[in-house]
Amino acid sequence: KVLENLSKQAHKTMEPEFYQQHTALLQEQIDAFQLEIARLQDEHPHLRSLATDRLRQELIAIEAEIYADYMRAGLLKYKPEPLLPEMFISKGFLERP
């Protein structure tokens, strides 16, 4: 998110050199974090499933927010049943509550 914000602000107020230096520093740190995450996941395989479970929950929350946005905009009169949880259950990624 920091990198995204830096990119959004770059054209408004930043000198190109400042932007390039900070972008390179942030990308270097992101790369280091990704290597550390991969190392930890190799050492502790259960971390991989925790990450994918969290991603599934985030996707479900995004779907719910989309329906809420449509309702607020008047595009939907009622909130439909979410599709993602049922799909994840049918594929064996989630258990039925």
Side-chain angles (χ1 to χ4, degrees):
K1 291 211 178 238
V2 173
L3 193 56
E4 288 175 17
N5 192 32
L6 184 63
S7 295
K8 288 178 186 175
Q9 298 299 321
H11 69 281
K12 295 179 184 175
T13 59
M14 290 181 204
E15 294 291 326
E17 185 177 325
F18 176 88
Y19 170 76
Q20 290 170 350
Q21 287 175 343
H22 284 72
T23 300
L25 287 171
L26 287 168
Q27 190 60 55
E28 186 177 305
Q29 191 62 51
I30 289 169
D31 293 344
F33 283 143
Q34 288 174 335
L35 286 173
E36 180 65 9
I37 289 168
R39 184 187 68 74
L40 289 170
Q41 288 177 335
D42 287 344
E43 288 179 16
H44 309 281
H46 71 281
L47 292 177
R48 226 178 275 283
S49 66
L50 290 174
T52 55
D53 290 346
R54 181 173 176 227
L55 176 60
R56 282 188 200 100
Q57 292 304 321
E58 287 177 17
L59 293 173
I60 290 168
I62 290 168
E63 180 188 23
E65 186 60 33
I66 290 169
Y67 293 149
D69 288 345
Y70 286 167
M71 290 178 67
R72 283 190 288 272
L75 298 172
L76 291 175
K77 294 190 186 296
Y78 64 92
K79 182 180 170 193
E81 286 295 316
L83 300 173
L84 290 178
E86 192 59 41
M87 181 188 73
F88 291 148
I89 290 168
S90 73
K91 298 295 183 184
F93 296 132
L94 286 178
E95 292 185 21
R96 198 167 297 283

